[in-house]
Amino acid sequence: MAETFVLVHGAWHGAWCWGAVINQLEKLGDHAYAVDLPGHGMNRADRSKVTLESYVDSVAEFIERQDLKNVVLAGHSLGGLTIPGVAAKIPARIKRVVWVTALVALDGQPIVDPATSPLAALAESQPEKSIPIEMMGKEFLDGLSNDMAPAVKEYVLSAVGPQPIGPMIAAVPMAPYFATGIPSSYLVCEDDKTPVAGAPNWHPHFSSRLKNPTLKFVKSGHEVMFTHPVECARALHELARGE
């Protein structure tokens, strides 16, 4: 039976980043869609007004508009903040939620403290309260692209757009998602070197915050959609089937 995937991008990215993975999922006989979150890609929302709630609403509304059912909802990186809200909003349409080397928040807490984080202060000084990826610094960019060919890195960095701070400083409600009982999975990218405050490793630091998640491991850095799309799609396909 074909699986139905809705793929949510992370910070700075857009639906475009999932192109190769969608192609591979379709080769496996599945259906896959990617959504531009507000302020990203072709979604021209005012970045200064973008919130985590608007992220959640945009994905939920897409799923409802397309009348999708038994959806495997997958989020990469910062997309991990959006997907639990979507699942809690429309649980009857969601089969499984997959964090793809993604952030998992603690219930009621933001990923970035708006009062103390230099990132929040930096965003406030920028147009549209958004941060260009270049301002994240060399250590972050090197970690993000540690296994990317130079040409791929150049393409990705040329395609990304500024990241609104709103969703990053929002309290993330996890309890409503856990209350749904929808199964969780975590796709571990074993070579992910992207630095995150308080997280020496994305797994198990973030994956351990989920309740009994199934795990799949891919030998990849953070940008798995570009460097290992075949393996990423295969892992998502297997997770969708409970394998």
Side-chain angles (χ1 to χ4, degrees), residues 14-162:
W16 54 269
C17 74
W18 289 109
V21 172
I22 289 174
N23 183 52
Q24 292 301 316
L25 286 170
E26 290 176 346
K27 287 183 179 180
L28 293 170
D30 298 325
H31 307 294
Y33 307 83
V35 182
D36 276 322
L37 296 174
H40 298 267
M42 300 303 293
N43 188 318
R44 304 302 187 186
D46 182 347
R47 294 189 185 99
S48 68
K49 298 179 180 178
V50 168
T51 63
L52 179 58
E53 184 178 8
S54 68
Y55 274 9
V56 170
D57 288 346
S58 68
V59 179
E61 288 167 6
F62 173 84
I63 291 171
E64 291 180 321
R65 189 166 59 250
Q66 298 290 328
D67 195 24
L68 303 179
K69 301 179 178 67
N70 294 316
V71 170
V72 180
L73 181 64
H76 174 252
S77 196
L78 192 73
L81 306 187
T82 298
I83 52 179
V86 176
K89 191 177 183 72
I90 52 170
R93 293 182 179 270
I94 307 300
K95 173 182 177 178
R96 177 177 294 275
V97 182
V98 184
W99 278 257
V100 180
T101 195
L103 302 170
V104 181
L106 296 172
D107 183 48
Q109 296 187 25
I111 286 293
V112 172
D113 187 333
T116 62
S117 171
L119 200 60
L122 175 62
E124 288 295 328
S125 70
Q126 296 300 306
E128 296 189 309
K129 298 182 180 179
S130 298
I131 305 168
I133 196 169
E134 294 81 7
M135 298 191 75
M136 294 298 293
K138 186 177 185 301
E139 181 185 3
F140 180 87
L141 294 176
D142 286 348
L144 186 76
S145 60
N146 65 306
D147 66 339
M148 298 173 75
V152 176
K153 179 180 179 180
E154 182 179 6
Y155 162 70
V156 172
L157 293 182
S158 70
V160 294

